Amino acid sequence: MINTDKKIIECVPNFSEGRNLDIIDKIASSVKSTQNVKLLNVEPDRDYNRTVITFAGEPSCVKEAAFKAISTASELIDMSRQKGEHPRIGATDVCPIIPVTNATMEECVKLANELGRDVGEKLGIPVYLYEDAARSEERRNLENIRRGEYEGLEQKLRDWVPDYGPAEYNDKVRKSGATVIGARFFLIAYNVNLSFDDIRVANAIAKSVRESSFVIKDETGEKKRVPGMLKYVKAIGVELREYNISQVSMNLTNYKETPIHTAFETVKTQAREYGMEVTGSEIIGLVPKDALIEAGAFYAGNKSEEALIEAAIKNLGLSQLNKFEPGKKIIENLL
């Protein structure tokens, strides 16, 4: 991905603030102030009340930048007053560490543990480890840890002892919430826009397409559990009142197995069964170049790299809500 002999890892923390630009800027500035770390992207969302910040660099420097960002967020974000459309459990909701070049997943797991220990011990924030860093199978999945969200954190701390940090719901934890830290493969945060605002339809489509199973009634009225349509896909329905639309908000946890265009076309087919159209989509944060090239090839066949990226942007409707700029959204272009 990058012509260097150095170890490069990426970190993509999600913060529970998408409206106060002063707070967002201070969190981003704590990352920018760290040597040998490059701030790649800052993407706030008012409806979700959430900001995704992406940065990359040498492992020890990325760990330092992540700690500073989590610390700043815990000082500036009061979770007891925070509301938004996106599920969350803390001021820094989730902080994944991703190998980019010359780094292994094992090294990222080690780094996640070191960061988790520092956040728990030095900042007094409960930390749960997830994905490849998880210490038990039930904690691999972010949704399992986040279930009950911030409002259910007091009970969560009783039922699930954190991997690091306090297990008591004190005044500090009431303000900061908990943080989920882990190591994982590159994830694409991908939202598909539906033609009008109907959260029930968005939720129904999300339930159908995501990998996790769901319950239906068969012809005899008996309930049975069936798997979702797309492997490596997590999905929820979200309403965006500002635009009078709803979204199927997805995390593509392995875009090589379930590509972007597969997720888009599947949601489009499901939407039509409810009399809805898909009007476009958006990528939150950054995307690997090969993911767009593959989507472009699906729609346009064998063309130049630039033409394939343009075809992906056009056919996926990536510039409907926010202009998609390859120079700012494709990770290789930034690194």
Side-chain angles (χ1 to χ4, degrees), residues 184-254:
R184 62 162 171 75
F185 182 66
F186 199 103
L187 176 149
I188 299 175
Y190 183 57
N191 304 330
V192 177
N193 308 325
L194 304 178
S195 53
F196 55 88
D197 185 3
D198 191 330
I199 188 63
R200 294 172 300 175
V201 171
N203 278 326
I205 295 173
K207 186 184 293 185
S208 297
V209 302
R210 66 191 180 210
E211 181 177 15
S212 60
S213 60
F214 58 99
V215 175
I216 64 169
K217 289 185 179 180
D218 62 19
E219 59 276 4
T220 66
E222 290 291 320
K223 291 181 179 180
K224 64 178 183 179
R225 187 167 289 276
V226 297
M229 302 174 71
L230 300 175
K231 288 182 68 64
Y232 305 105
V233 172
K234 302 174 182 180
I236 59 172
V238 176
E239 53 185 341
L240 299 185
R241 297 191 180 112
E242 179 182 353
Y243 300 101
N244 196 34
I245 64 171
S246 52
Q247 286 184 325
V248 178
S249 178
M250 293 177 282
N251 283 341
L252 311 184
T253 61
N254 189 332

Side-chain angles (χ1 to χ4, degrees), residues 32-309:
K32 289 172 68 175
S33 69
T34 311
Q35 287 188 336
N36 297 321
V37 167
K38 184 171 184 179
L39 180 64
L40 301 177
N41 185 258
V42 179
E43 193 151 344
D45 189 299
R46 290 188 60 83
D47 293 289
Y48 285 15
N49 199 13
R50 187 177 183 86
T51 295
V52 178
I53 294 181
T54 306
F55 52 95
E58 297 176 42
S60 61
C61 301
V62 166
K63 183 180 74 170
E64 178 186 350
F67 179 84
K68 288 159 67 173
I70 294 169
S71 177
T72 303
S74 70
E75 294 171 3
L76 300 178
I77 299 172
D78 186 348
M79 287 304 297
S80 67
R81 301 180 180 183
Q82 196 269 359
K83 298 292 181 185
E85 290 295 328
H86 201 286
R88 76 285 183 267
I89 198 171
T92 304
D93 178 52
V94 61
C95 183
I97 296 170
I98 302 121
V100 175
T101 188
N102 299 324
T104 66
M105 185 61 74
E106 289 74 18
E107 290 171 313
C108 290
V109 168
K110 182 175 182 290
L111 206 68
N113 274 272
E114 293 173 357
L115 176 61
R117 183 182 62 245
D118 287 347
V119 169
E121 293 179 358
K122 297 178 181 179
L123 300 180
I125 297 173
V127 172
Y128 294 99
L129 299 174
Y130 85 119
E131 287 285 351
D132 284 57
R135 294 175 177 174
S136 65
E137 190 61 32
E138 66 178 350
R139 296 194 184 192
R140 284 188 65 89
N141 193 315
L142 176 61
E143 284 69 32
N144 288 344
I145 299 173
R146 199 195 267 146
R147 188 169 292 120
E149 298 191 43
Y150 166 78
E151 287 74 15
L153 180 57
E154 186 171 6
Q155 182 62 47
K156 172 74 74 176
L157 291 172
R158 296 193 195 104
D159 297 339
W160 285 30
V161 175
D163 294 292
Y164 295 106
E168 61 175 325
Y169 191 75
N170 53 34
D171 289 341
K172 167 67 179 173
V173 173
R174 182 180 294 106
K175 183 173 184 288
S176 69
T179 292
V180 186
I181 296 174
R184 62 162 171 75
F185 182 66
F186 199 103
L187 176 149
I188 299 175
Y190 183 57
N191 304 330
V192 177
N193 308 325
L194 304 178
S195 53
F196 55 88
D197 185 3
D198 191 330
I199 188 63
R200 294 172 300 175
V201 171
N203 278 326
I205 295 173
K207 186 184 293 185
S208 297
V209 302
R210 66 191 180 210
E211 181 177 15
S212 60
S213 60
F214 58 99
V215 175
I216 64 169
K217 289 185 179 180
D218 62 19
E219 59 276 4
T220 66
E222 290 291 320
K223 291 181 179 180
K224 64 178 183 179
R225 187 167 289 276
V226 297
M229 302 174 71
L230 300 175
K231 288 182 68 64
Y232 305 105
V233 172
K234 302 174 182 180
I236 59 172
V238 176
E239 53 185 341
L240 299 185
R241 297 191 180 112
E242 179 182 353
Y243 300 101
N244 196 34
I245 64 171
S246 52
Q247 286 184 325
V248 178
S249 178
M250 293 177 282
N251 283 341
L252 311 184
T253 61
N254 189 332
Y255 68 89
K256 294 183 182 295
E257 294 294 331
T258 299
I260 296 175
H261 61 269
T262 300
F264 181 75
E265 293 297 328
T266 303
V267 171
K268 183 192 292 186
T269 300
Q270 291 295 300
R272 286 175 177 164
E273 293 188 8
Y274 291 94
M276 271 192 178
E277 293 296 323
V278 162
T279 59
S281 63
E282 62 178 345
I283 291 172
I284 306 300
L286 303 183
V287 60
K289 183 186 292 183
D290 63 341
L292 288 182
I293 289 174
E294 185 175 1
F298 174 80
Y299 292 111
N302 186 20
K303 294 187 177 182
S304 69
E305 182 178 286
E306 183 179 354
L308 289 177
I309 291 173

Side-chain angles (χ1 to χ4, degrees), residues 291-293 295-297 299 307-318:
L292 288 182
I293 289 174
Y299 292 111
L308 289 177
I309 291 173
E310 289 178 0
I313 294 171
K314 177 183 177 181
N315 286 278
L316 296 172
L318 286 175

